[in-house]
Amino acid sequence: GLSFIGHASQITGLALVGSRILLSLAEDGYLASWDLSTKIRLKCVQAHYSKGTVVCSSNYNIITTGWDGYIHTWSKGLQNLSSISTDHVPINAAMLHPIKNKVIIASWNNTIKIFDLDTKVQQAVIHTETSVQCLTLSHDATRLAYG
């Protein structure tokens, strides 16, 4: 395994960007990028001002979420490209849609929401009986599982 030193708080998420860059998100909201071949931290930015919960990457889309209720999109160089507010409801889980340019989030308020990353508009909401902690989609993106 690989070991990297650089975060001051617990890591809450990891994602790969291509085959050379690792992203890490920490509880303190800091997002870092790492060169996998040299193990050197390339950049570190304050992604969220409360607990960072999820970082994910797909098709070179990069998003982070946190307990501040924001979804942030990032460039490969960790420039903040856009932000989507979810009414300041803490986000527990998130994932990028494998086919469409959408993000699926699960929040403390017992909801799962789907946002379009281009328009930043909420497209759907599912009400659940409890707070959802994790999400996954089937490979063909026709079934959503959560718990």
Side-chain angles (χ1 to χ4, degrees):
L2 296 175
S3 180
F4 298 86
I5 298 172
H7 281 287
S9 65
Q10 185 174 348
I11 302 300
T12 56
L14 296 171
L16 289 170
V17 179
S19 61
R20 296 196 47 150
I21 295 177
L22 174 70
L23 300 174
S24 57
L25 181 66
E27 274 190 345
D28 61 9
Y30 278 92
L31 173 65
S33 60
W34 307 84
D35 183 305
L36 286 171
S37 60
T38 63
K39 297 184 185 178
I40 293 174
R41 184 169 65 183
L42 302 171
K43 191 162 187 180
C44 187
V45 297
Q46 181 82 47
H48 296 271
Y49 291 101
S50 62
K51 181 179 178 179
T53 54
V54 176
V55 59
C56 49
S57 171
S58 176
N59 301 323
Y60 294 97
N61 279 327
I62 299 168
I63 63 123
T64 61
T65 63
W67 281 4
D68 56 7
Y70 279 91
I71 304 163
H72 296 299
T73 62
W74 302 89
S75 70
K76 185 176 173 183
L78 299 190
Q79 296 297 315
N80 188 310
L81 300 175
S82 66
S83 298
I84 301 170
S85 173
T86 63
D87 299 323
H88 305 289
V89 176
I91 299 169
N92 294 331
M95 67 173 298
L96 288 162
H97 192 285
I99 301 166
K100 299 178 181 179
N101 201 28
K102 299 181 187 314
V103 61
I104 305 165
I105 65 163
S107 300
W108 276 14
N109 64 351
N110 303 353
T111 61
I112 297 171
K113 296 178 180 177
I114 301 172
F115 288 87
D116 184 288
L117 288 174
D118 295 321
T119 64
K120 296 164 194 53
V121 173
Q122 179 182 311
Q123 295 194 317
V125 63
I126 300 167
H127 296 277
T128 62
E129 292 184 22
T130 60
S131 179
V132 174
Q133 302 299 311
C134 53
L135 301 161
T136 192
L137 275 174
S138 62
H139 183 68
D140 61 1
T142 60
R143 295 183 183 174
L144 173 68
Y146 59 89

mmCIF file of all heavy atoms in Angstrom, residues 65-115:
data_model
loop_
_atom_site.group_PDB
_atom_site.id
_atom_site.type_symbol
_atom_site.label_atom_id
_atom_site.label_comp_id
_atom_site.label_asym_id
_atom_site.label_seq_id
_atom_site.Cartn_x
_atom_site.Cartn_y
_atom_site.Cartn_z
ATOM 1 N N THR A 65 -18.432 17.036 -1.177
ATOM 2 C CA THR A 65 -19.609 17.412 -0.394
ATOM 3 C C THR A 65 -19.200 17.504 1.068
ATOM 4 O O THR A 65 -18.154 16.992 1.464
ATOM 5 C CB THR A 65 -20.753 16.387 -0.527
ATOM 6 O OG1 THR A 65 -20.314 15.130 -0.005
ATOM 7 C CG2 THR A 65 -21.209 16.220 -1.967
ATOM 8 N N GLY A 66 -20.076 18.151 1.846
ATOM 9 C CA GLY A 66 -19.762 18.279 3.258
ATOM 10 C C GLY A 66 -20.983 18.558 4.097
ATOM 11 O O GLY A 66 -22.097 18.680 3.599
ATOM 12 N N TRP A 67 -20.734 18.678 5.393
ATOM 13 C CA TRP A 67 -21.818 18.974 6.321
ATOM 14 C C TRP A 67 -22.307 20.411 6.194
ATOM 15 O O TRP A 67 -23.306 20.786 6.795
ATOM 16 C CB TRP A 67 -21.375 18.668 7.746
ATOM 17 C CG TRP A 67 -21.433 17.201 8.076
ATOM 18 C CD1 TRP A 67 -21.756 16.173 7.240
ATOM 19 C CD2 TRP A 67 -21.162 16.613 9.338
ATOM 20 N NE1 TRP A 67 -21.690 14.979 7.906
ATOM 21 C CE2 TRP A 67 -21.334 15.220 9.202
ATOM 22 C CE3 TRP A 67 -20.779 17.123 10.569
ATOM 23 C CZ2 TRP A 67 -21.147 14.334 10.243
ATOM 24 C CZ3 TRP A 67 -20.589 16.238 11.614
ATOM 25 C CH2 TRP A 67 -20.776 14.852 11.452
ATOM 26 N N ASP A 68 -21.612 21.227 5.385
ATOM 27 C CA ASP A 68 -22.096 22.585 5.122
ATOM 28 C C ASP A 68 -23.249 22.596 4.125
ATOM 29 O O ASP A 68 -23.863 23.625 3.891
ATOM 30 C CB ASP A 68 -20.967 23.490 4.635
ATOM 31 C CG ASP A 68 -20.257 22.961 3.388
ATOM 32 O OD1 ASP A 68 -20.700 21.958 2.797
ATOM 33 O OD2 ASP A 68 -19.231 23.567 3.021
ATOM 34 N N GLY A 69 -23.553 21.432 3.528
ATOM 35 C CA GLY A 69 -24.667 21.326 2.590
ATOM 36 C C GLY A 69 -24.350 21.771 1.180
ATOM 37 O O GLY A 69 -25.260 21.988 0.371
ATOM 38 N N TYR A 70 -23.080 21.883 0.842
ATOM 39 C CA TYR A 70 -22.695 22.294 -0.511
ATOM 40 C C TYR A 70 -22.106 21.138 -1.297
ATOM 41 O O TYR A 70 -21.429 20.265 -0.748
ATOM 42 C CB TYR A 70 -21.661 23.423 -0.463
ATOM 43 C CG TYR A 70 -22.277 24.769 -0.223
ATOM 44 C CD1 TYR A 70 -22.425 25.256 1.056
ATOM 45 C CD2 TYR A 70 -22.727 25.549 -1.293
ATOM 46 C CE1 TYR A 70 -23.000 26.492 1.293
ATOM 47 C CE2 TYR A 70 -23.305 26.781 -1.070
ATOM 48 C CZ TYR A 70 -23.438 27.251 0.217
ATOM 49 O OH TYR A 70 -24.013 28.468 0.452
ATOM 50 N N ILE A 71 -22.358 21.175 -2.595
ATOM 51 C CA ILE A 71 -21.701 20.317 -3.573
ATOM 52 C C ILE A 71 -20.782 21.246 -4.357
ATOM 53 O O ILE A 71 -21.253 22.224 -4.946
ATOM 54 C CB ILE A 71 -22.711 19.671 -4.542
ATOM 55 C CG1 ILE A 71 -23.779 18.882 -3.790
ATOM 56 C CG2 ILE A 71 -21.982 18.807 -5.570
ATOM 57 C CD1 ILE A 71 -25.006 18.567 -4.642
ATOM 58 N N HIS A 72 -19.486 20.980 -4.324
ATOM 59 C CA HIS A 72 -18.537 21.791 -5.085
ATOM 60 C C HIS A 72 -17.974 20.948 -6.224
ATOM 61 O O HIS A 72 -17.669 19.767 -6.036
ATOM 62 C CB HIS A 72 -17.372 22.258 -4.210
ATOM 63 C CG HIS A 72 -17.776 23.178 -3.106
ATOM 64 N ND1 HIS A 72 -18.366 24.401 -3.319
ATOM 65 C CD2 HIS A 72 -17.649 23.057 -1.772
ATOM 66 C CE1 HIS A 72 -18.587 24.996 -2.166
ATOM 67 N NE2 HIS A 72 -18.169 24.191 -1.197
ATOM 68 N N THR A 73 -17.835 21.573 -7.391
ATOM 69 C CA THR A 73 -17.159 20.919 -8.512
ATOM 70 C C THR A 73 -15.783 21.558 -8.658
ATOM 71 O O THR A 73 -15.609 22.753 -8.414
ATOM 72 C CB THR A 73 -17.958 21.029 -9.825
ATOM 73 O OG1 THR A 73 -18.100 22.406 -10.176
ATOM 74 C CG2 THR A 73 -19.328 20.382 -9.690
ATOM 75 N N TRP A 74 -14.819 20.733 -9.068
ATOM 76 C CA TRP A 74 -13.415 21.141 -9.097
ATOM 77 C C TRP A 74 -12.767 20.772 -10.418
ATOM 78 O O TRP A 74 -13.122 19.773 -11.046
ATOM 79 C CB TRP A 74 -12.647 20.439 -7.971
ATOM 80 C CG TRP A 74 -13.194 20.709 -6.620
ATOM 81 C CD1 TRP A 74 -14.171 20.001 -5.964
ATOM 82 C CD2 TRP A 74 -12.845 21.787 -5.751
ATOM 83 N NE1 TRP A 74 -14.430 20.572 -4.760
ATOM 84 C CE2 TRP A 74 -13.629 21.675 -4.592
ATOM 85 C CE3 TRP A 74 -11.925 22.833 -5.843
ATOM 86 C CZ2 TRP A 74 -13.535 22.558 -3.528
ATOM 87 C CZ3 TRP A 74 -11.820 23.718 -4.795
ATOM 88 C CH2 TRP A 74 -12.618 23.581 -3.649
ATOM 89 N N SER A 75 -11.759 21.558 -10.780
ATOM 90 C CA SER A 75 -10.897 21.197 -11.901
ATOM 91 C C SER A 75 -9.839 20.214 -11.400
ATOM 92 O O SER A 75 -9.656 20.055 -10.192
ATOM 93 C CB SER A 75 -10.208 22.438 -12.467
ATOM 94 O OG SER A 75 -9.236 22.914 -11.546
ATOM 95 N N LYS A 76 -9.136 19.604 -12.316
ATOM 96 C CA LYS A 76 -8.055 18.686 -11.951
ATOM 97 C C LYS A 76 -6.984 19.409 -11.131
ATOM 98 O O LYS A 76 -6.353 18.826 -10.265
ATOM 99 C CB LYS A 76 -7.458 18.079 -13.222
ATOM 100 C CG LYS A 76 -6.428 17.027 -13.001
ATOM 101 C CD LYS A 76 -5.989 16.448 -14.334
ATOM 102 C CE LYS A 76 -4.833 15.509 -14.179
ATOM 103 N NZ LYS A 76 -4.363 15.001 -15.470
ATOM 104 N N GLY A 77 -6.820 20.714 -11.354
ATOM 105 C CA GLY A 77 -5.866 21.517 -10.610
ATOM 106 C C GLY A 77 -6.419 22.080 -9.311
ATOM 107 O O GLY A 77 -5.826 22.955 -8.697
ATOM 108 N N LEU A 78 -7.611 21.604 -8.895
ATOM 109 C CA LEU A 78 -8.304 21.991 -7.666
ATOM 110 C C LEU A 78 -8.730 23.460 -7.652
ATOM 111 O O LEU A 78 -8.693 24.125 -6.623
ATOM 112 C CB LEU A 78 -7.507 21.630 -6.419
ATOM 113 C CG LEU A 78 -7.199 20.151 -6.209
ATOM 114 C CD1 LEU A 78 -6.625 19.916 -4.824
ATOM 115 C CD2 LEU A 78 -8.417 19.282 -6.455
ATOM 116 N N GLN A 79 -9.172 23.936 -8.799
ATOM 117 C CA GLN A 79 -9.824 25.236 -8.865
ATOM 118 C C GLN A 79 -11.325 24.978 -8.716
ATOM 119 O O GLN A 79 -11.876 24.111 -9.396
ATOM 120 C CB GLN A 79 -9.549 25.930 -10.209
ATOM 121 C CG GLN A 79 -8.095 26.257 -10.421
ATOM 122 C CD GLN A 79 -7.567 27.240 -9.387
ATOM 123 O OE1 GLN A 79 -8.208 28.234 -9.072
ATOM 124 N NE2 GLN A 79 -6.398 26.942 -8.842
ATOM 125 N N ASN A 80 -11.978 25.729 -7.824
ATOM 126 C CA ASN A 80 -13.416 25.559 -7.631
ATOM 127 C C ASN A 80 -14.133 26.089 -8.869
ATOM 128 O O ASN A 80 -14.013 27.260 -9.208
ATOM 129 C CB ASN A 80 -13.874 26.308 -6.372
ATOM 130 C CG ASN A 80 -15.306 25.992 -6.024
ATOM 131 O OD1 ASN A 80 -16.185 26.070 -6.864
ATOM 132 N ND2 ASN A 80 -15.538 25.644 -4.797
ATOM 133 N N LEU A 81 -14.870 25.216 -9.549
ATOM 134 C CA LEU A 81 -15.560 25.587 -10.779
ATOM 135 C C LEU A 81 -16.978 26.064 -10.520
ATOM 136 O O LEU A 81 -17.467 26.974 -11.187
ATOM 137 C CB LEU A 81 -15.583 24.401 -11.744
ATOM 138 C CG LEU A 81 -14.219 23.866 -12.162
ATOM 139 C CD1 LEU A 81 -14.383 22.613 -13.014
ATOM 140 C CD2 LEU A 81 -13.418 24.938 -12.896
ATOM 141 N N SER A 82 -17.662 25.434 -9.576
ATOM 142 C CA SER A 82 -19.030 25.825 -9.263
ATOM 143 C C SER A 82 -19.444 25.227 -7.929
ATOM 144 O O SER A 82 -18.777 24.337 -7.406
ATOM 145 C CB SER A 82 -20.003 25.374 -10.361
ATOM 146 O OG SER A 82 -20.082 23.967 -10.407
ATOM 147 N N SER A 83 -20.559 25.744 -7.407
ATOM 148 C CA SER A 83 -21.094 25.257 -6.138
ATOM 149 C C SER A 83 -22.602 25.152 -6.235
ATOM 150 O O SER A 83 -23.239 25.975 -6.887
ATOM 151 C CB SER A 83 -20.732 26.212 -4.996
ATOM 152 O OG SER A 83 -19.334 26.291 -4.853
ATOM 153 N N ILE A 84 -23.146 24.138 -5.605
ATOM 154 C CA ILE A 84 -24.598 23.948 -5.539
ATOM 155 C C ILE A 84 -24.974 23.904 -4.066
ATOM 156 O O ILE A 84 -24.430 23.104 -3.310
ATOM 157 C CB ILE A 84 -25.027 22.632 -6.226
ATOM 158 C CG1 ILE A 84 -24.602 22.613 -7.695
ATOM 159 C CG2 ILE A 84 -26.535 22.426 -6.088
ATOM 160 C CD1 ILE A 84 -24.785 21.266 -8.377
ATOM 161 N N SER A 85 -25.895 24.778 -3.671
ATOM 162 C CA SER A 85 -26.370 24.787 -2.291
ATOM 163 C C SER A 85 -27.546 23.833 -2.153
ATOM 164 O O SER A 85 -28.438 23.812 -2.992
ATOM 165 C CB SER A 85 -26.817 26.194 -1.890
ATOM 166 O OG SER A 85 -27.415 26.153 -0.610
ATOM 167 N N THR A 86 -27.535 23.064 -1.071
ATOM 168 C CA THR A 86 -28.648 22.145 -0.797
ATOM 169 C C THR A 86 -29.372 22.590 0.461
ATOM 170 O O THR A 86 -29.745 21.782 1.297
ATOM 171 C CB THR A 86 -28.148 20.700 -0.661
ATOM 172 O OG1 THR A 86 -27.274 20.625 0.458
ATOM 173 C CG2 THR A 86 -27.424 20.239 -1.910
ATOM 174 N N ASP A 87 -29.559 23.896 0.603
ATOM 175 C CA ASP A 87 -30.249 24.492 1.749
ATOM 176 C C ASP A 87 -29.535 24.218 3.066
ATOM 177 O O ASP A 87 -30.165 24.080 4.103
ATOM 178 C CB ASP A 87 -31.711 24.023 1.819
ATOM 179 C CG ASP A 87 -32.480 24.437 0.574
ATOM 180 O OD1 ASP A 87 -32.228 25.546 0.068
ATOM 181 O OD2 ASP A 87 -33.317 23.648 0.115
ATOM 182 N N HIS A 88 -28.215 24.120 3.015
ATOM 183 C CA HIS A 88 -27.365 23.961 4.200
ATOM 184 C C HIS A 88 -27.695 22.720 5.025
ATOM 185 O O HIS A 88 -27.476 22.693 6.224
ATOM 186 C CB HIS A 88 -27.399 25.218 5.057
ATOM 187 C CG HIS A 88 -27.033 26.441 4.287
ATOM 188 N ND1 HIS A 88 -25.752 26.676 3.860
ATOM 189 C CD2 HIS A 88 -27.782 27.462 3.824
ATOM 190 C CE1 HIS A 88 -25.722 27.803 3.189
ATOM 191 N NE2 HIS A 88 -26.928 28.302 3.141
ATOM 192 N N VAL A 89 -28.234 21.697 4.377
ATOM 193 C CA VAL A 89 -28.505 20.421 5.040
ATOM 194 C C VAL A 89 -27.251 19.550 4.886
ATOM 195 O O VAL A 89 -26.777 19.350 3.770
ATOM 196 C CB VAL A 89 -29.732 19.717 4.428
ATOM 197 C CG1 VAL A 89 -29.933 18.348 5.058
ATOM 198 C CG2 VAL A 89 -30.974 20.574 4.577
ATOM 199 N N PRO A 90 -26.676 19.053 5.981
ATOM 200 C CA PRO A 90 -25.468 18.229 5.885
ATOM 201 C C PRO A 90 -25.644 17.038 4.941
ATOM 202 O O PRO A 90 -26.673 16.356 4.954
ATOM 203 C CB PRO A 90 -25.248 17.763 7.323
ATOM 204 C CG PRO A 90 -25.858 18.844 8.147
ATOM 205 C CD PRO A 90 -27.077 19.269 7.381
ATOM 206 N N ILE A 91 -24.620 16.811 4.132
ATOM 207 C CA ILE A 91 -24.626 15.720 3.150
ATOM 208 C C ILE A 91 -23.773 14.578 3.702
ATOM 209 O O ILE A 91 -22.619 14.775 4.067
ATOM 210 C CB ILE A 91 -24.080 16.205 1.798
ATOM 211 C CG1 ILE A 91 -24.969 17.338 1.251
ATOM 212 C CG2 ILE A 91 -23.985 15.049 0.809
ATOM 213 C CD1 ILE A 91 -24.373 18.067 0.068
ATOM 214 N N ASN A 92 -24.362 13.388 3.765
ATOM 215 C CA ASN A 92 -23.677 12.199 4.271
ATOM 216 C C ASN A 92 -22.970 11.414 3.180
ATOM 217 O O ASN A 92 -21.916 10.832 3.412
ATOM 218 C CB ASN A 92 -24.673 11.241 4.928
ATOM 219 C CG ASN A 92 -25.290 11.801 6.173
ATOM 220 O OD1 ASN A 92 -24.687 12.593 6.870
ATOM 221 N ND2 ASN A 92 -26.511 11.392 6.452
ATOM 222 N N ALA A 93 -23.598 11.311 2.016
ATOM 223 C CA ALA A 93 -23.092 10.450 0.949
ATOM 224 C C ALA A 93 -23.354 11.107 -0.393
ATOM 225 O O ALA A 93 -24.299 11.893 -0.534
ATOM 226 C CB ALA A 93 -23.773 9.076 1.006
ATOM 227 N N ALA A 94 -22.521 10.783 -1.367
ATOM 228 C CA ALA A 94 -22.695 11.332 -2.718
ATOM 229 C C ALA A 94 -22.003 10.422 -3.715
ATOM 230 O O ALA A 94 -21.067 9.695 -3.372
ATOM 231 C CB ALA A 94 -22.127 12.738 -2.812
ATOM 232 N N MET A 95 -22.480 10.492 -4.940
ATOM 233 C CA MET A 95 -21.825 9.774 -6.032
ATOM 234 C C MET A 95 -22.146 10.445 -7.343
ATOM 235 O O MET A 95 -23.199 11.074 -7.494
ATOM 236 C CB MET A 95 -22.243 8.311 -6.069
ATOM 237 C CG MET A 95 -23.689 8.057 -6.415
ATOM 238 S SD MET A 95 -24.069 6.314 -6.643
ATOM 239 C CE MET A 95 -23.042 5.907 -8.028
ATOM 240 N N LEU A 96 -21.232 10.340 -8.282
ATOM 241 C CA LEU A 96 -21.471 10.841 -9.630
ATOM 242 C C LEU A 96 -22.185 9.771 -10.431
ATOM 243 O O LEU A 96 -21.878 8.584 -10.307
ATOM 244 C CB LEU A 96 -20.148 11.210 -10.302
ATOM 245 C CG LEU A 96 -19.491 12.476 -9.759
ATOM 246 C CD1 LEU A 96 -18.027 12.518 -10.144
ATOM 247 C CD2 LEU A 96 -20.224 13.703 -10.259
ATOM 248 N N HIS A 97 -23.139 10.204 -11.243
ATOM 249 C CA HIS A 97 -23.832 9.277 -12.133
ATOM 250 C C HIS A 97 -22.816 8.738 -13.136
ATOM 251 O O HIS A 97 -22.015 9.500 -13.677
ATOM 252 C CB HIS A 97 -24.973 10.019 -12.849
ATOM 253 C CG HIS A 97 -25.922 9.126 -13.548
ATOM 254 N ND1 HIS A 97 -25.615 8.511 -14.741
ATOM 255 C CD2 HIS A 97 -27.176 8.740 -13.230
ATOM 256 C CE1 HIS A 97 -26.652 7.788 -15.134
ATOM 257 N NE2 HIS A 97 -27.608 7.898 -14.227
ATOM 258 N N PRO A 98 -22.817 7.442 -13.414
ATOM 259 C CA PRO A 98 -21.797 6.867 -14.298
ATOM 260 C C PRO A 98 -21.974 7.209 -15.774
ATOM 261 O O PRO A 98 -21.035 7.061 -16.550
ATOM 262 C CB PRO A 98 -21.941 5.362 -14.063
ATOM 263 C CG PRO A 98 -23.351 5.188 -13.623
ATOM 264 C CD PRO A 98 -23.703 6.421 -12.849
ATOM 265 N N ILE A 99 -23.161 7.683 -16.164
ATOM 266 C CA ILE A 99 -23.419 7.942 -17.581
ATOM 267 C C ILE A 99 -23.742 9.414 -17.837
ATOM 268 O O ILE A 99 -23.231 10.017 -18.774
ATOM 269 C CB ILE A 99 -24.578 7.048 -18.085
ATOM 270 C CG1 ILE A 99 -24.220 5.568 -17.893
ATOM 271 C CG2 ILE A 99 -24.893 7.345 -19.547
ATOM 272 C CD1 ILE A 99 -25.373 4.618 -18.042
ATOM 273 N N LYS A 100 -24.571 10.000 -16.992
ATOM 274 C CA LYS A 100 -25.017 11.379 -17.186
ATOM 275 C C LYS A 100 -24.235 12.327 -16.284
ATOM 276 O O LYS A 100 -23.631 11.907 -15.312
ATOM 277 C CB LYS A 100 -26.513 11.484 -16.902
ATOM 278 C CG LYS A 100 -27.340 10.613 -17.818
ATOM 279 C CD LYS A 100 -28.801 10.697 -17.493
ATOM 280 C CE LYS A 100 -29.600 9.789 -18.409
ATOM 281 N NZ LYS A 100 -31.015 9.834 -18.102
ATOM 282 N N ASN A 101 -24.257 13.613 -16.616
ATOM 283 C CA ASN A 101 -23.533 14.616 -15.845
ATOM 284 C C ASN A 101 -24.385 15.059 -14.651
ATOM 285 O O ASN A 101 -24.856 16.188 -14.580
ATOM 286 C CB ASN A 101 -23.164 15.802 -16.734
ATOM 287 C CG ASN A 101 -22.024 16.599 -16.158
ATOM 288 O OD1 ASN A 101 -21.194 16.071 -15.434
ATOM 289 N ND2 ASN A 101 -21.995 17.878 -16.458
ATOM 290 N N LYS A 102 -24.561 14.133 -13.709
ATOM 291 C CA LYS A 102 -25.414 14.352 -12.546
ATOM 292 C C LYS A 102 -24.710 13.853 -11.288
ATOM 293 O O LYS A 102 -23.823 13.012 -11.352
ATOM 294 C CB LYS A 102 -26.740 13.621 -12.698
ATOM 295 C CG LYS A 102 -27.548 14.082 -13.906
ATOM 296 C CD LYS A 102 -28.856 13.359 -14.024
ATOM 297 C CE LYS A 102 -29.592 13.665 -15.296
ATOM 298 N NZ LYS A 102 -29.673 15.051 -15.675
ATOM 299 N N VAL A 103 -25.142 14.401 -10.145
ATOM 300 C CA VAL A 103 -24.642 13.947 -8.857
ATOM 301 C C VAL A 103 -25.844 13.533 -8.011
ATOM 302 O O VAL A 103 -26.904 14.167 -8.071
ATOM 303 C CB VAL A 103 -23.796 15.024 -8.149
ATOM 304 C CG1 VAL A 103 -24.591 16.272 -7.867
ATOM 305 C CG2 VAL A 103 -23.183 14.481 -6.860
ATOM 306 N N ILE A 104 -25.687 12.466 -7.255
ATOM 307 C CA ILE A 104 -26.725 11.966 -6.360
ATOM 308 C C ILE A 104 -26.200 12.137 -4.940
ATOM 309 O O ILE A 104 -25.078 11.709 -4.641
ATOM 310 C CB ILE A 104 -27.032 10.481 -6.640
ATOM 311 C CG1 ILE A 104 -27.402 10.291 -8.112
ATOM 312 C CG2 ILE A 104 -28.142 9.970 -5.719
ATOM 313 C CD1 ILE A 104 -27.368 8.851 -8.576
ATOM 314 N N ILE A 105 -26.992 12.777 -4.084
ATOM 315 C CA ILE A 105 -26.557 13.013 -2.700
ATOM 316 C C ILE A 105 -27.590 12.462 -1.721
ATOM 317 O O ILE A 105 -28.775 12.363 -2.032
ATOM 318 C CB ILE A 105 -26.325 14.505 -2.414
ATOM 319 C CG1 ILE A 105 -27.635 15.297 -2.519
ATOM 320 C CG2 ILE A 105 -25.246 15.070 -3.312
ATOM 321 C CD1 ILE A 105 -27.590 16.660 -1.872
ATOM 322 N N ALA A 106 -27.132 12.139 -0.537
ATOM 323 C CA ALA A 106 -28.001 11.727 0.569
ATOM 324 C C ALA A 106 -27.715 12.644 1.741
ATOM 325 O O ALA A 106 -26.553 12.874 2.087
ATOM 326 C CB ALA A 106 -27.744 10.274 0.949
ATOM 327 N N SER A 107 -28.776 13.174 2.347
ATOM 328 C CA SER A 107 -28.626 14.183 3.399
ATOM 329 C C SER A 107 -29.233 13.745 4.717
ATOM 330 O O SER A 107 -29.997 12.786 4.783
ATOM 331 C CB SER A 107 -29.281 15.491 2.958
ATOM 332 O OG SER A 107 -28.688 15.961 1.779
ATOM 333 N N TRP A 108 -28.918 14.520 5.761
ATOM 334 C CA TRP A 108 -29.434 14.268 7.104
ATOM 335 C C TRP A 108 -30.947 14.315 7.166
ATOM 336 O O TRP A 108 -31.550 13.733 8.057
ATOM 337 C CB TRP A 108 -28.901 15.331 8.058
ATOM 338 C CG TRP A 108 -27.551 15.074 8.617
ATOM 339 C CD1 TRP A 108 -26.631 14.153 8.184
ATOM 340 C CD2 TRP A 108 -26.957 15.752 9.712
ATOM 341 N NE1 TRP A 108 -25.499 14.228 8.924
ATOM 342 C CE2 TRP A 108 -25.671 15.215 9.885
ATOM 343 C CE3 TRP A 108 -27.375 16.765 10.556
ATOM 344 C CZ2 TRP A 108 -24.807 15.645 10.873
ATOM 345 C CZ3 TRP A 108 -26.500 17.195 11.536
ATOM 346 C CH2 TRP A 108 -25.244 16.641 11.691
ATOM 347 N N ASN A 109 -31.576 15.059 6.256
ATOM 348 C CA ASN A 109 -33.033 15.261 6.340
ATOM 349 C C ASN A 109 -33.818 14.138 5.664
ATOM 350 O O ASN A 109 -34.926 14.345 5.199
ATOM 351 C CB ASN A 109 -33.422 16.622 5.771
ATOM 352 C CG ASN A 109 -33.120 16.742 4.290
ATOM 353 O OD1 ASN A 109 -32.475 15.881 3.702
ATOM 354 N ND2 ASN A 109 -33.563 17.819 3.689
ATOM 355 N N ASN A 110 -33.240 12.946 5.613
ATOM 356 C CA ASN A 110 -33.918 11.760 5.081
ATOM 357 C C ASN A 110 -34.322 11.908 3.613
ATOM 358 O O ASN A 110 -35.400 11.479 3.214
ATOM 359 C CB ASN A 110 -35.147 11.404 5.929
ATOM 360 C CG ASN A 110 -34.812 11.168 7.380
ATOM 361 O OD1 ASN A 110 -33.653 11.131 7.764
ATOM 362 N ND2 ASN A 110 -35.823 11.017 8.197
ATOM 363 N N THR A 111 -33.432 12.512 2.823
ATOM 364 C CA THR A 111 -33.697 12.647 1.390
ATOM 365 C C THR A 111 -32.492 12.200 0.583
ATOM 366 O O THR A 111 -31.346 12.281 1.031
ATOM 367 C CB THR A 111 -34.032 14.096 0.987
ATOM 368 O OG1 THR A 111 -32.911 14.936 1.295
ATOM 369 C CG2 THR A 111 -35.290 14.589 1.665
ATOM 370 N N ILE A 112 -32.794 11.741 -0.621
ATOM 371 C CA ILE A 112 -31.799 11.506 -1.668
ATOM 372 C C ILE A 112 -32.188 12.447 -2.797
ATOM 373 O O ILE A 112 -33.357 12.477 -3.212
ATOM 374 C CB ILE A 112 -31.817 10.040 -2.144
ATOM 375 C CG1 ILE A 112 -31.428 9.109 -0.998
ATOM 376 C CG2 ILE A 112 -30.901 9.854 -3.351
ATOM 377 C CD1 ILE A 112 -31.635 7.638 -1.304
ATOM 378 N N LYS A 113 -31.246 13.231 -3.262
ATOM 379 C CA LYS A 113 -31.531 14.205 -4.313
ATOM 380 C C LYS A 113 -30.586 14.012 -5.485
ATOM 381 O O LYS A 113 -29.426 13.627 -5.298
ATOM 382 C CB LYS A 113 -31.398 15.628 -3.781
ATOM 383 C CG LYS A 113 -32.405 15.956 -2.691
ATOM 384 C CD LYS A 113 -32.202 17.360 -2.154
ATOM 385 C CE LYS A 113 -33.230 17.653 -1.059
ATOM 386 N NZ LYS A 113 -33.011 18.982 -0.457
ATOM 387 N N ILE A 114 -31.109 14.309 -6.671
ATOM 388 C CA ILE A 114 -30.309 14.242 -7.894
ATOM 389 C C ILE A 114 -30.227 15.653 -8.466
ATOM 390 O O ILE A 114 -31.251 16.314 -8.641
ATOM 391 C CB ILE A 114 -30.924 13.277 -8.922
ATOM 392 C CG1 ILE A 114 -31.035 11.872 -8.320
ATOM 393 C CG2 ILE A 114 -30.086 13.269 -10.209
ATOM 394 C CD1 ILE A 114 -31.801 10.884 -9.176
ATOM 395 N N PHE A 115 -28.985 16.102 -8.730
ATOM 396 C CA PHE A 115 -28.749 17.420 -9.307
ATOM 397 C C PHE A 115 -28.053 17.276 -10.655
ATOM 398 O O PHE A 115 -27.161 16.438 -10.803
ATOM 399 C CB PHE A 115 -27.851 18.266 -8.400
ATOM 400 C CG PHE A 115 -28.520 18.741 -7.147
ATOM 401 C CD1 PHE A 115 -28.530 17.953 -6.015
ATOM 402 C CD2 PHE A 115 -29.138 19.978 -7.109
ATOM 403 C CE1 PHE A 115 -29.135 18.390 -4.850
ATOM 404 C CE2 PHE A 115 -29.756 20.420 -5.956
ATOM 405 C CZ PHE A 115 -29.754 19.626 -4.823
#
